[in-house]
Amino acid sequence: MSLNLDKTALQIQSMVSDLKGRDLEHQKHLEAGLNGMKRTPAEYQHLLDKAERSQTTFLLAHPEEIPDATHPPPALPQSYRILATDGSQIDVDRHQLSRCYLINIGRVRLEYGQSPSAALESLPALYARPEDMVISCGSKEVAVEGTLLGIKRSVEETRHLAEMADAASPNLPTLALADGTLILWSLLSKEFPEYVVEDLLVNGYLKYLGKIQNLNTKDRQVALASYISYPGSTDVVNTLRLLYCPYEPADCTSQCDQLPNGKRPCDILSGVTDSMLFERILKPGERSALFASSSSILEKYYGEHRVYFYYLKTSEEIARVELPGWTARSEELLSLSHSLILEQCRLGHGYPVSLSEAHEQAVVSGQDRRIFNQLVEEMLTASKINPSSSAKSLSKKTRWV
């Protein structure tokens, strides 16, 4: 049965009316946030001291400078290089007895200036060996599929980024650009065993960040950054919540846990995101102050790769740019990230052109997945290996026929 559009339209109309009613309240919250940004250095210092002493239920941002500081775009280097990767995957089909998965990495190298050039490639990798299918420690093992496969793909994207940076000639300032966050939040979303975190994060992801970091010498610049489009994060707003908290220090669980949403003193900032604040503060091309991100995974594992971030106003949006500590603390690398990402957005009509191209190289369509599965079955059959599949899988094929 098709969707009843008459009934749906009535509900949409009700939703729009409700949103109009909330708009005035939202403006009050947004103004409270902007007012919170306009504080004296002494007030900011008190805020930071309170943040250190408080126990909050939300992530805080630690400003490295006055939070409402703005920075104009630095000049572009005459010649420079952009490296970018993106990935996609075909997950394990548990209805097929031939267990395997595929990770496809799109790699892009763009060089601008006196000798412009470009290289785009797609590198699929099939994993089917027993040791590829699990992460193990002694007799314990966890299957690489679903969330864990997505994390492994992120590690592979970073490995390829490090390989490209290492192979590139050292004569050009270089930005290695990733899509999305540098924080592997997914490792926190489930309680993975410590040996899984060690394998993917410590011996994988962070090791490759270190390889990129080590390419930096007196005569060679390689910055690393990631780009988050239309971010919904609230780290900066969360810190401002402490301004409106009457307790010294704050302890969200013991002081306000019993209060419903909207009744806590800090709910004056409810519904406001960081990007809403910086949309009002930044001019086109400017970046915000630098902030340090806080989360248990950063404190425990990231070390010198601890993630910092700033907000950037492109022609189309407020984007969040994340950087490892060694890029954030270098004035040259920080400026390089600002100028080059802004130019990439201009060339890409609002989104970094290198990431768009990397995505195009990496994407695996629905048709690709069907052909992949068909190829696996055909080659197994040709080798007289029975590619038996489950009744559910056969049922789906029957309906398609």
Side-chain angles (χ1 to χ4, degrees):
M1 179 180 292
S2 60
L3 179 66
N4 187 322
L5 291 177
D6 290 338
K7 292 181 178 177
T8 303
L10 288 174
Q11 293 175 55
I12 293 173
Q13 188 176 28
S14 174
M15 178 188 73
V16 170
S17 299
D18 186 46
L19 287 175
K20 279 185 178 178
R22 292 183 201 169
D23 188 54
L24 184 59
E25 191 70 14
H26 174 73
Q27 288 302 319
K28 290 181 182 176
H29 293 183
L30 182 56
E31 290 300 327
L34 291 168
N35 183 49
M37 295 287 278
K38 297 173 184 173
R39 299 301 171 110
T40 66
E43 289 172 322
Y44 278 133
Q45 188 56 53
H46 175 73
L47 179 63
L48 293 179
D49 292 341
K50 184 173 181 178
E52 289 294 325
R53 292 180 285 113
S54 296
Q55 297 290 324
T56 63
T57 55
F58 36 75
L59 287 176
L60 301 175
H62 298 276
E64 297 294 301
E65 53 193 310
I66 294 175
D68 64 350
T70 60
H71 299 271
L76 268 179
Q78 287 189 335
S79 299
Y80 58 91
R81 176 189 298 117
I82 304 288
L83 306 173
T85 57
D86 196 9
S88 62
Q89 68 211 40
I90 297 178
D91 207 339
V92 176
D93 186 346
R94 61 188 178 88
H95 297 289
Q96 299 285 347
L97 292 187
S98 53
R99 292 178 65 82
C100 61
Y101 58 86
L102 180 139
I103 295 177
N104 191 36
I105 301 294
R107 304 185 0 161
V108 170
R109 175 177 56 79
L110 302 174
E111 293 185 356
Y112 300 86
Q114 293 182 338
S115 303
S117 67
L120 295 80
E121 56 186 338
S122 173
L123 298 176
L126 180 69
Y127 297 84
R129 298 177 304 171
E131 59 266 34
D132 294 329
M133 305 310 295
V134 296
I135 296 174
S136 61
C137 179
S139 60
K140 298 175 289 188
E141 61 183 33
V142 176
V144 179
E145 58 185 7
T147 301
L148 214 51
L149 177 54
I151 298 170
K152 178 164 183 166
R153 190 188 80 187
S154 298
V155 175
E156 285 301 294
E157 291 170 7
T158 310
R159 179 174 73 82
H160 281 271
L161 209 50
E163 281 184 5
M164 283 196 296
D166 185 43
S169 60
N171 60 328
L172 289 178
T174 298
L175 173 66
L177 187 59
D179 184 33
T181 180
L182 293 178
I183 307 171
L184 294 190
W185 295 107
S186 302
L187 277 173
L188 295 179
S189 65
K190 294 184 178 179
E191 293 184 357
F192 291 114
E194 185 64 23
Y195 65 86
V196 171
V197 179
E198 285 284 326
D199 185 272
L200 289 176
L201 181 61
V202 179
N203 300 322
Y205 189 75
L206 296 178
K207 182 182 75 175
Y208 299 126
L209 293 190
K211 287 188 173 183
I212 299 173
Q213 176 190 13
N214 292 335
L215 294 174
N216 281 281
T217 62
K218 181 180 178 182
D219 302 317
R220 186 176 189 179
Q221 287 184 323
V222 184
L224 173 66
S226 71
Y227 185 91
I228 303 174
S229 180
Y230 286 100
S233 45
T234 58
D235 311 39
V236 176
V237 172
N238 288 343
T239 301
L240 297 180
R241 280 178 178 267
L242 293 176
L243 289 170
Y244 296 94
C245 172
Y247 302 105
E248 286 284 352
D251 185 337
C252 299
T253 301
S254 65
Q255 294 157 344
C256 293
D257 193 45
Q258 302 303 315
L259 298 176
N261 283 338
K263 297 298 182 184
R264 299 170 298 179
C266 68
D267 281 337
I268 186 64
L269 297 180
S270 180
V272 179
T273 65
D274 293 354
S275 60
M276 291 173 186
L277 281 184
F278 289 106
E279 173 65 38
R280 297 278 291 271
I281 292 173
L282 297 174
K283 296 176 182 174
E286 288 184 338
R287 73 164 176 87
S288 73
L290 190 66
F291 299 88
S293 186
S294 67
S295 93
S296 57
I297 194 171
L298 298 180
E299 298 289 341
K300 187 174 181 180
Y301 297 104
Y302 272 60
E304 58 193 339
H305 305 301
R306 179 181 178 177
V307 174
Y308 291 69
F309 64 91
Y310 61 77
Y311 288 93
L312 176 67
K313 188 164 189 172
T314 73
S315 60
E316 299 293 327
E317 63 171 339
I318 296 291
R320 173 167 162 140
V321 175
E322 293 187 348
L323 317 152
W326 48 271
T327 292
R329 290 190 296 271
S330 163
E331 192 60 42
E332 292 80 10
L333 297 182
L334 180 62
S335 294
L336 193 65
S337 74
H338 183 180
S339 62
L340 267 54
I341 291 175
L342 191 63
E343 177 67 3
Q344 282 286 292
C345 289
R346 187 187 69 80
L347 295 171
H349 305 289
Y351 186 76
V353 64
S354 54
L355 290 180
S356 293
E357 294 297 339
H359 176 76
E360 286 300 314
Q361 294 296 314
V363 68
V364 176
S365 67
Q367 184 178 7
D368 291 336
R369 294 173 197 276
R370 287 192 292 275
I371 293 174
F372 169 78
N373 288 324
Q374 186 178 343
L375 275 175
V376 170
E377 289 193 14
E378 287 177 357
M379 291 186 182
L380 288 173
T381 302
S383 299
K384 301 187 185 307
I385 300 173
N386 180 19
S388 303
S389 55
S390 69
K392 183 176 181 179
S393 177
L394 290 171
S395 172
K396 287 181 178 178
K397 291 177 183 176
T398 303
R399 283 202 302 270
W400 290 343
V401 171

